[in-house]
Amino acid sequence: FSSNFTQLPHLAGTKENLHLAQQVQAEWKEFGLDSVQLVHYDVLLSYPDDTKPNYISIIDEHGNEIFNTSLSEPPPPGYEAVRGVVPPYSAFSAQGMPEGELVYVNYGRTEDFFKLEREMGINCTGKIVIARYGKIFRGNKVKNAELAGAKGVILYSDPADYCAPGTDPYPNGWNLPGGGAQRGNVLNLNGAGDPLTPGYPAKEYTYRLDKASGVGLPKIPVHPIGYHDAESLLRNMGGYAPPHSSWKGNLNVSYNVGPGFTTNYSTRSVKMHIHSHNEITRIYNVIGTIRGTVEPDRYVILGGHRDSWVFGGIDPQSGAAVVHEIVRSFGKLRRKGWRPRRTVIFASWDAEEFGLLGSTEWAEENAKVLQARGVAYINADSSIEGNYTLRVDCTPLMYRLVYSLTKEIPSPDEGFEGKSLYESWYKKNPSREYKEVPRINKLGSGNDFEVFFQRLGIASGRARYSKNWNVEKYSSYPVYHSVYETYEIVERFYDPTFKNHLTVAQVRGGLVFELANSVVLPFDCRDYASAVSNYAHIIYNLSRNHEEELATYNVSFDALFSAVKNFTEVAASFHERLQQIDINNLIAVRSLNDQLMFLERAFIDPLGLPGRPFYRHVIFAPSSHNKYAGESFPGIYDAMFDIKNKADQHEAWEEVKRQISIAAFTVQAAAGTLKEV
């Protein structure tokens, strides 16, 4: 399947991706699902202009273009004749031809702009900034640049972040070639889905905002380039020296910050030419179901996206192939007369790359039934981003399930023959918070679980094979979102025997099977209690950097700790009751299962987080500074962030107190849902 799905580009909104949807639909039907539907939405997408290519130039004092960045990536061997490869671009970039001095802003993180503005006194207003990819979501880089007053953003892949030591550029190795560039959207949607229909499904009848005032659209031009082109732009940078060695990448340049070029070249400027356009385009999800026997009104969802930037060798097709195999397995059981206890829904999402649009629109359309009936959502994007060990991000409710499941799956790793996946995972990545278990991460965002977890409060999890983050410092994987992400790079370098794909299929499929089939839901609320307690201590310790203000403004965490203590006690006694249950008493089982299912829902605040109405989970949210990372107690965290630089200290600390009270209320209310009825 992996090879089949990666022969052509499958960009969202193109006929190739519709054809793939129709193929997936036909094959899922053949595999034996009860029903398989194509569900369409009309959403805002963004494409380059075929007739006016995007590029960046260096301009001399006479206005001549003396250097231009390349218009496309050199194709990998065997793909020279493939049509429909979209050139590298930043989806949803504003149009424009800004010209100005360049400022190098490192990774474009909040702390990088603080360093420039506060410590070095460099003003980015009216400048074009160049930021290296890595560390944080690209949309956050663009937002930070916009807030700093920049009039354009150039994103580039530095070899320090996109070339691993000891391997060659593709095709001889798995590193990014100098002509490769990373596509990707630069939205700041904060969970809104389609920019023109926030909160509602993008159907024919839906009212739309006008195209210019869509949610999260950048107001300045943005464009990505490779490191060969970046070297030409950075080569003669003048101005300030890099403030720290951590601002230096691996190109043969000074990494001077600017603004502008050195004295000899000071008459030169940089000009961007960006002509991409946004258009409302039809997208297609494939939704397949197997109806449950005992509880057909309880849904376990396995979803992953189908659209890719180009061939999608890793992202998403290494994941879509796994979903396909899981559907085939469930279909095989189904044809033998088996049915799950609960309904299982399989989804092939469209337009994930354009802001999680397919999954979010479907969840918006089905929000009422999902919040009433959704048991769990398992995400299935890329199955591999390395070949070192398992990586899991999930709700604390699923910790025990993940640990017990991985103990039953054989490890694919060298040197762990005859041992379990749990053993190799624990050996290679032990937890920092808890003794003698492997590490599990918080859910952030940047993938299709976002609407289910952060907006609707449906227990969610994801698993894939990953790299050794302690050793390998490069960001994501080198060829991410480039034309070089092919079937061959997977088959030759990442997973030649597909044994890691198989392991990921066993984990994802096993999670879905257990969640859909266990009589009692395999959720452990005591692990949520430990996690919430741990997060409360973390945020309290953070607050102790401001002892004086805590006293002055009478800030107390007592209510939160009291709520956490109550939650912990109630969770323990709920777990006791669960052990005593008579599993033949269907109503008693259903009642306790509903308490477990609705526990995640209990952490949802209908008002959402400040300024982010679609992030409604009080315990977890995507970080305000990096969409990819999860933050715990995000309301309190954001209220305290950089608080010493807020103008009105009284007002700032009042907001911290408000956020602590919201957190305390929510944890206490969640405890109330677990009490004996």
Side-chain angles (χ1 to χ4, degrees):
F1 297 140
S2 181
S3 171
N4 176 277
F5 292 168
T6 52
Q7 293 310 296
L8 293 172
H10 295 108
L11 190 64
T14 63
K15 68 176 191 308
E16 287 73 24
N17 201 32
L18 168 56
H19 292 158
L20 185 57
Q22 291 164 333
Q23 179 194 325
V24 168
Q25 179 187 30
E27 290 176 6
W28 285 7
K29 280 182 175 165
E30 211 177 297
F31 292 156
L33 299 191
D34 294 333
S35 75
V36 191
Q37 307 296 333
L38 290 191
V39 185
H40 66 262
Y41 300 96
D42 297 313
V43 300
L44 193 69
L45 299 182
S46 161
Y47 302 106
D49 187 316
D50 293 333
T51 58
K52 284 186 289 192
N54 299 326
Y55 67 100
I56 297 157
S57 41
I58 297 176
I59 306 275
D60 70 10
E61 64 270 38
H62 309 298
N64 303 312
E65 299 181 358
I66 54 178
F67 166 79
N68 290 331
T69 58
S70 48
L71 303 180
S72 61
E73 297 168 294
Y79 292 86
E80 296 85 356
V82 178
R83 303 174 62 80
V85 172
V86 77
Y89 73 114
S90 298
F92 301 103
S93 164
Q95 292 182 343
M97 296 183 21
E99 186 180 336
E101 290 186 306
L102 208 52
V103 175
Y104 169 66
V105 298
N106 199 20
Y107 292 105
R109 297 169 295 189
T110 304
E111 59 267 37
D112 295 327
F113 280 100
F114 281 172
K115 173 78 77 177
L116 288 170
E117 296 169 341
R118 295 175 179 180
E119 294 178 35
M120 300 174 72
I122 295 173
N123 184 355
C124 292
T125 302
K127 304 286 189 272
I128 292 173
V129 302
I130 182 166
R132 53 173 165 157
Y133 268 130
K135 307 291 185 195
I136 66 168
F137 172 59
R138 70 186 84 72
N140 293 96
K141 299 173 190 265
V142 172
K143 182 181 171 203
N144 293 342
E146 238 178 69
L147 290 171
K151 60 167 149 176
V153 182
I154 301 166
L155 299 169
Y156 83 97
S157 308
D158 194 289
D161 308 286
Y162 291 90
C163 293
T167 183
D168 284 330
Y170 190 75
N172 299 321
W174 44 271
N175 275 344
L176 182 68
Q182 179 192 135
R183 294 155 188 77
N185 81 72
V186 289
L187 295 167
N188 282 281
L189 288 173
N190 291 326
D194 170 44
L196 305 186
T197 61
Y200 303 100
K203 299 303 280 185
E204 289 84 343
Y205 63 81
T206 313
Y207 179 82
R208 285 172 172 76
L209 300 171
D210 90 32
K211 266 200 212 172
S213 51
V215 175
L217 299 170
K219 292 179 169 41
I220 57 178
V222 191
H223 190 63
I225 60 174
Y227 55 84
H228 282 165
D229 282 342
E231 192 149 47
S232 300
L233 292 180
L234 292 171
R235 186 173 293 126
N236 300 311
M237 287 288 285
Y240 292 84
H244 188 261
S245 63
S246 65
W247 279 55
K248 290 188 167 190
N250 287 352
L251 291 173
N252 187 21
V253 300
S254 65
Y255 288 93
N256 285 346
V257 166
F261 296 119
T262 50
T263 320
N264 328 358
Y265 302 101
S266 59
T267 56
R268 295 183 178 179
S269 60
V270 169
K271 184 171 183 179
M272 302 179 68
H273 308 75
I274 307 301
H275 309 291
S276 305
H277 57 279
N278 300 340
E279 53 179 290
I280 297 170
T281 311
R282 183 152 291 190
I283 62 166
Y284 300 86
N285 296 330
V286 188
I287 306 291
T289 50
I290 298 183
R291 187 175 159 85
T293 47
V294 184
E295 304 184 71
D297 63 339
R298 291 292 175 261
Y299 305 154
V300 175
I301 306 166
L302 174 68
H305 75 103
R306 181 187 70 257
D307 68 295
S308 55
W309 281 114
V310 190
F311 302 110
I314 295 174
D315 175 7
Q317 308 306 358
S318 69
V322 159
V323 172
H324 222 59
E325 293 287 9
I326 293 170
V327 173
R328 193 165 68 94
S329 305
F330 272 80
K332 212 168 179 178
L333 287 171
R334 160 81 189 74
R335 289 204 182 283
K336 289 182 180 163
W338 172 87
R339 275 191 180 278
R341 177 186 177 94
R342 300 178 187 88
T343 295
V344 180
I345 299 175
F346 300 99
S348 168
W349 305 123
D350 202 349
E352 185 270 354
E353 297 294 2
F354 289 83
L356 319 177
L357 304 187
S359 56
T360 305
E361 296 312 301
W362 185 81
E364 286 179 335
E365 185 168 30
N366 296 286
K368 306 301 179 196
V369 297
L370 290 171
Q371 61 202 17
R373 307 174 191 168
V375 170
Y377 176 84
I378 302 299
N379 198 59
D381 198 352
S382 315
S383 296
I384 52 164
E385 57 189 9
N387 54 13
Y388 181 65
T389 192
L390 189 68
R391 173 180 167 193
V392 175
D393 315 0
C394 69
T395 170
L397 281 176
M398 288 185 195
Y399 290 173
R400 288 293 150 109
L401 169 59
V402 170
Y403 292 144
S404 63
L405 181 64
T406 51
K407 286 173 182 170
E408 305 296 315
I409 294 171
S411 175
D413 297 359
E414 261 171 71
F416 289 89
E417 292 77 12
K419 294 205 160 66
S420 73
L421 175 60
Y422 180 91
E423 288 176 80
S424 60
W425 179 27
Y426 171 57
K427 184 86 201 294
K428 292 180 176 188
N429 197 7
S431 170
R432 294 180 210 165
E433 291 93 2
Y434 306 105
K435 280 200 227 324
E436 295 175 0
V437 292
R439 177 179 176 80
I440 292 181
N441 307 298
K442 297 191 285 284
L443 285 167
S445 179
N447 226 295
D448 288 309
F449 60 82
E450 182 188 73
V451 68
F452 299 98
F453 189 66
Q454 312 289 7
R455 191 195 297 200
L456 297 178
I458 294 169
S460 299
R462 61 191 305 204
R464 56 251 194 250
Y465 240 70
S466 193
K467 60 190 186 182
N468 183 350
W469 290 78
N470 308 321
V471 178
E472 302 169 270
K473 287 286 180 258
Y474 55 90
S475 297
S476 65
Y477 48 92
V479 298
Y480 174 66
H481 287 184
S482 76
V483 74
Y484 306 106
E485 218 188 278
T486 56
Y487 173 75
E488 287 74 24
I489 207 169
V490 174
E491 196 261 337
R492 286 179 51 202
F493 301 109
Y494 278 95
D495 195 14
T497 63
F498 284 80
K499 64 179 170 47
N500 297 339
H501 281 71
L502 171 61
T503 301
V504 171
Q506 290 169 328
V507 174
R508 292 172 178 175
L511 288 170
V512 172
F513 186 91
E514 290 300 320
L515 289 160
N517 233 33
S518 304
V519 175
V520 174
L521 285 177
F523 288 159
D524 196 321
C525 56
R526 297 171 305 174
D527 288 335
Y528 225 131
S530 317
V532 167
S533 172
N534 179 24
Y535 302 145
H537 283 97
I538 288 169
I539 198 81
Y540 172 66
N541 290 339
L542 210 54
S543 79
R544 297 193 59 186
N545 296 330
H546 313 276
E547 290 287 11
E548 218 174 293
E549 289 79 2
L550 294 177
T552 306
Y553 298 108
N554 195 18
V555 181
S556 167
F557 284 79
D558 291 354
L560 179 56
F561 282 114
S562 170
V564 167
K565 182 171 177 286
N566 293 340
F567 184 87
T568 306
E569 288 165 4
V570 171
S573 68
F574 179 90
H575 189 79
E576 285 304 303
R577 282 208 307 290
L578 210 51
Q579 307 313 299
Q580 262 79 74
I581 192 172
D582 167 14
I583 61 162
N584 298 312
N585 181 342
L586 289 179
I587 291 191
V589 171
R590 172 79 166 198
S591 175
L592 286 171
N593 275 343
D594 277 355
Q595 284 177 289
L596 285 167
M597 172 176 78
F598 286 128
L599 180 57
E600 199 77 69
R601 230 79 93 235
F603 291 114
I604 293 293
D605 184 331
L607 300 182
L609 289 164
R612 302 194 291 171
F614 300 117
Y615 291 155
R616 307 196 304 167
H617 204 298
V618 171
I619 312 300
F620 299 105
S623 161
S624 293
H625 306 277
N626 174 16
K627 182 178 181 174
Y628 292 151
E631 193 55 75
S632 49
F633 286 121
I636 308 174
Y637 181 90
D638 283 351
M640 288 199 311
F641 184 82
D642 195 40
I643 194 164
K644 65 181 182 301
N645 285 293
K646 304 254 172 86
D648 186 334
Q649 286 290 292
H650 176 262
E651 183 188 35
W653 284 101
E654 286 297 307
E655 176 61 10
V656 172
K657 286 155 75 170
R658 186 173 83 91
Q659 291 301 327
I660 294 168
S661 84
I662 290 169
F665 160 74
T666 303
V667 172
Q668 183 62 31
T673 70
L674 290 178
K675 290 203 174 107
E676 189 162 11
V677 280

